[in-house]
Amino acid sequence: MTNPLLADWSTPFQLPPFADISDADFAPAFDVAIDAARAEIAAIAECSDAPTFANTIEALELAGQRLDQVLGVFYTLAGTDSNDAREALQREFAPKLSAYSSEITMNAALFGRIETLWQARETLGLSDEQMRVLMLTRRGFVRAGARLQGAARDRLTAVKSRLAVLGTEFTQHLLADERDWFMELSEDDLEGLPDFVVASARAAGEEKGVEGPVVTLSRSLIVPFLQFSPRRELRERAYEAWTARGANGGATDNRGIATETLQLRHERATLLGYADFASYKLETEMARTPARVRELLMAVWEPARAAAVSDARKLEEMMHADGVNGRLEPWDWRYYSEKRRRLEHDLDEAELKPYLQLDRMIEAAFDCANRLFGLDFQPLDVPLYHPDARAWEVTRDGRHMAVFIGDYFARGSKRSGAWCSASRSQRKLGGAVRPVVHNVCNFAKPAKGEPALLSYDDARTLFHEFGHALHQILSDVTYPSISGTSVARDFVELPSQLYEHWLEVPEVLSQYATHARTGAPMPRDMLERLLAAATYDMGFQTVEYVASALVDLAFHEGDAPADPIARQQAVLDALGMPHAIRMRHATPHFAHVFAGDGYSSGYYSYMWSEVMDADAFEAFEEAGSAFDPEVARKLEAFILSAGGSREPEELYTAFRGRMPGAQALLKGRGLLSAA
């Protein structure tokens, strides 16, 4: 019987036949697919014909498609619905995939063909896009060690293999800690909690098989619990568990993994001739150097810290007025900040949340995409990997553009956070291929029959991830290696963070923020108060983020720290980190940095992109409408459809006419007065 993972799928839009795939299919399919991919690479490297762009670069772009098909399904399931079998397969596949990658980049004959093309590039008659792909391919090989010889070559291969294993272990340890911890609540412990938090706690208890409500480490549950529970001892217990993920001792402790990861990254960089890993990693980003990253982060840190210190004094006064003596602690901040928001802005999360229904916010995101880019979304009735996942066909003027899959609810088998991925990317090479794009979130799942309600932060997350999705959906390039979100890390967050701005457009909220029970639109005065509070508590939010970004940078500059936790504390002490605020991601659960190389030395990327997104939305404001068609056309042409076909600075300048400064960011965060 044919393994369904290796078959040509005749399903609608060639989606994976999830109902036919079992966990037992993955290992044999992986072995067949990786052997086929190796054979394809060998055929390119050993080709007797002189190297051409077609028989070398384009052939590389198309190699390994069957392996991509297998891994696209596997990693979708491993990230969203993990189990013991899938976690074991992740551990098995990680070193094998690293070895396969090293075999390609260390193949001397293959690199020789690429180098021949590079040296003759001006005589090849290449298009701008082809020249870009050739440059990126050669650069990728060089940065992966293609020029190394002998022991250094072998050592780099071993280092990369070990890093792949460590990243997998870090992720699985974090998932285990998040999955296993929960705090049972008595009926008395529900005092002061809004109905939506109680409902989420009861639903979480059902998922955990517990009779009664629980608090889990899912952000969509623990954050509102910290906002509303008057029981300080319970807030402390929940908060400390949340921040202790990956640092609880035993089999799931990530501190040793972090130490070894940083040491191996430093060794990797020095083997390649760089001073440290930050210098290696940032060379191909917009920032280029650690100094430029630090300059931006510190320009934001000082006004953000000043705002946070001022806010902390006010919150501590409120706490003392409640009869609680001593210092404001991290588990107090959200509780008293929520109280202060109600006092200063007359905004109550419990009153606001019924107007932010998940389904209506999805409609809002789709409608904005329609008004800006002419996209239409029709629900699809197709088998997917989990009952919570849903799918839409995306079209424009009747033309198929993509399949979009949304998987929005938290569950114990799903890794935390929110992300966008493409199990199939857009390309034109070898035939037109349109993408299959996934948005994955971790919103609290409602009780059966009840509507799913979001916080305003949740709604921003939904728009953020959908901005990434648009980058994939609207991609219009020839080569898969530069498709969609295949751009510099500090550019990739521009489309996502820019799209968040449309949630704040009054006409969008007026239409889609409707009450879950009555269907009535959000009252005008509430809408105005919500938008007026858009930068409320921004000192806290900025401090916890920038602290994490600066610690990440410090980890990768100079020699690797022997004790990352001590290095983390030294950085925070030097910054004057406010006592009642902790890093958004402490080292043992800093998945952005330690689950893989993606955001290592690159957590600053969100803020680097924010400089551009604040400026980019101003282009719409200057045109007089958030839906100005000409600005939207330029945004699609130069940012959303272009992928990595040009340098990010060129793309942004083509869109906006210039590169921005940090003033727009400070203005957008309401921090100009504190600067």
Side-chain angles (χ1 to χ4, degrees), residues 453-466:
L453 305 179
L454 306 182
S455 68
Y456 194 62
D457 187 55
D458 288 338
R460 290 179 69 92
T461 297
L462 186 148
F463 269 68
H464 178 102
E465 297 306 332
F466 192 70

Side-chain angles (χ1 to χ4, degrees), residues 313-644:
R313 285 194 294 266
K314 296 172 183 176
L315 299 183
E316 191 168 88
E317 289 171 4
M318 294 174 66
M319 185 180 77
H320 292 167
D322 274 354
V324 180
N325 297 320
R327 303 177 75 181
L328 184 78
E329 298 292 347
W331 48 89
D332 298 318
W333 190 292
R334 287 176 174 84
Y335 179 70
Y336 285 100
S337 181
E338 180 64 26
K339 278 191 167 189
R340 182 184 167 203
R341 186 171 74 147
R342 289 200 297 271
L343 288 171
E344 295 187 1
H345 295 281
D346 195 20
L347 273 180
D348 183 342
E349 182 87 7
E351 183 184 4
L352 177 65
K353 203 160 186 175
Y355 290 97
L356 299 174
Q357 300 175 69
L358 171 62
D359 286 348
R360 295 291 281 157
M361 292 299 102
I362 294 171
E363 290 178 41
F366 288 175
D367 183 56
C368 290
N370 175 265
R371 295 179 65 181
L372 288 163
F373 311 114
L375 299 176
D376 294 299
F377 299 80
Q378 292 297 323
L380 289 174
D381 184 12
V382 292
L384 296 171
Y385 57 87
H386 192 278
D388 287 345
R390 348 179 202 171
W392 293 263
E393 182 188 8
V394 188
T395 60
R396 179 156 65 183
D397 299 326
R399 175 193 169 209
H400 175 74
M401 294 291 289
V403 171
F404 173 69
I405 296 172
D407 181 0
Y408 296 106
F409 296 128
R411 51 183 174 267
S413 59
K414 182 192 285 188
R415 66 180 172 90
S416 61
W419 66 93
C420 176
S421 62
S423 55
R424 183 171 71 227
S425 296
Q426 178 271 332
R427 72 168 192 267
K428 297 175 186 175
L429 183 67
V433 174
R434 297 308 305 174
V436 176
V437 185
H438 302 250
N439 272 180
V440 184
C441 300
N442 272 281
F443 304 142
K445 189 173 183 178
K448 191 173 182 179
E450 294 296 316
L453 305 179
L454 306 182
S455 68
Y456 194 62
D457 187 55
D458 288 338
R460 290 179 69 92
T461 297
L462 186 148
F463 269 68
H464 178 102
E465 297 306 332
F466 192 70
H468 282 308
L470 288 173
H471 206 176
Q472 298 277 14
I473 292 167
L474 292 170
S475 180
D476 188 26
V477 298
T478 300
Y479 297 97
S481 65
I482 56 170
S483 176
T485 57
S486 298
V487 299
R489 184 65 62 174
D490 48 13
F491 191 65
V492 77
E493 298 298 336
L494 168 59
S496 56
Q497 293 180 176
L498 175 58
Y499 206 67
E500 292 179 31
H501 288 271
W502 274 273
L503 178 62
E504 300 174 350
V505 174
E507 63 187 279
V508 174
L509 284 172
S510 295
Q511 182 174 357
Y512 290 101
T514 56
H515 198 280
R517 299 295 181 200
T518 68
M522 182 182 290
R524 169 60 65 176
D525 68 317
M526 181 183 291
L527 174 59
E528 291 173 352
R529 284 182 276 123
L530 174 63
L531 295 177
T535 60
Y536 174 71
D537 214 19
M538 195 55 72
F540 169 86
Q541 295 177 42
T542 307
V543 161
E544 64 164 7
Y545 165 77
V546 174
S548 296
L550 286 165
V551 167
D552 166 43
L553 188 65
F555 278 161
H556 296 99
E557 278 191 289
D559 293 338
D563 183 347
I565 304 302
R567 174 72 63 86
Q568 170 186 296
Q569 192 57 51
V571 171
L572 298 179
D573 288 346
L575 289 171
M577 185 75 169
H579 172 76
I581 305 178
R582 294 186 188 170
M583 291 168 59
R584 182 173 297 177
H585 303 291
T587 298
H589 59 259
F590 206 163
H592 280 81
V593 171
F594 292 105
D597 276 355
Y599 283 89
S600 56
S601 288
Y603 192 60
Y604 76 91
S605 299
Y606 292 93
M607 188 145 285
W608 191 274
S609 294
E610 190 176 340
V611 172
M612 291 179 285
D613 84 63
D615 178 70
F617 193 71
E618 282 189 353
F620 286 91
E621 294 175 330
E622 291 164 6
S625 170
F627 297 97
D628 182 82
E630 178 57 21
V631 180
R633 184 198 65 77
K634 290 177 66 177
L635 178 63
E636 178 179 349
F638 297 118
I639 306 294
L640 296 175
S641 71

Side-chain angles (χ1 to χ4, degrees), residues 222-291:
I222 197 168
V223 167
F225 180 80
L226 292 169
Q227 285 177 301
F228 292 106
S229 175
R231 298 284 299 275
R232 194 180 191 220
E233 73 282 4
L234 295 182
R235 295 200 310 267
E236 179 180 3
R237 183 179 165 197
Y239 182 87
E240 292 290 18
W242 191 34
T243 56
R245 290 168 294 158
N248 290 303
T252 63
D253 197 293
N254 276 334
R255 286 171 287 192
I257 290 177
T259 301
E260 186 179 356
T261 296
L262 294 174
Q263 291 169 347
L264 290 175
R265 283 179 181 161
H266 182 71
E267 183 180 0
R268 175 183 177 184
T270 56
L271 283 167
L272 291 167
Y274 294 87
D276 51 36
F277 188 80
S279 300
Y280 163 76
K281 186 67 183 294
L282 293 172
E283 179 185 50
T284 59
E285 306 298 331
M286 293 182 75
R288 303 292 185 224
T289 67

Side-chain angles (χ1 to χ4, degrees), residues 210-221:
V210 174
E211 290 187 9
V214 304
V215 174
T216 68
L217 298 182
S218 169
R219 177 176 285 270
S220 60
L221 178 51

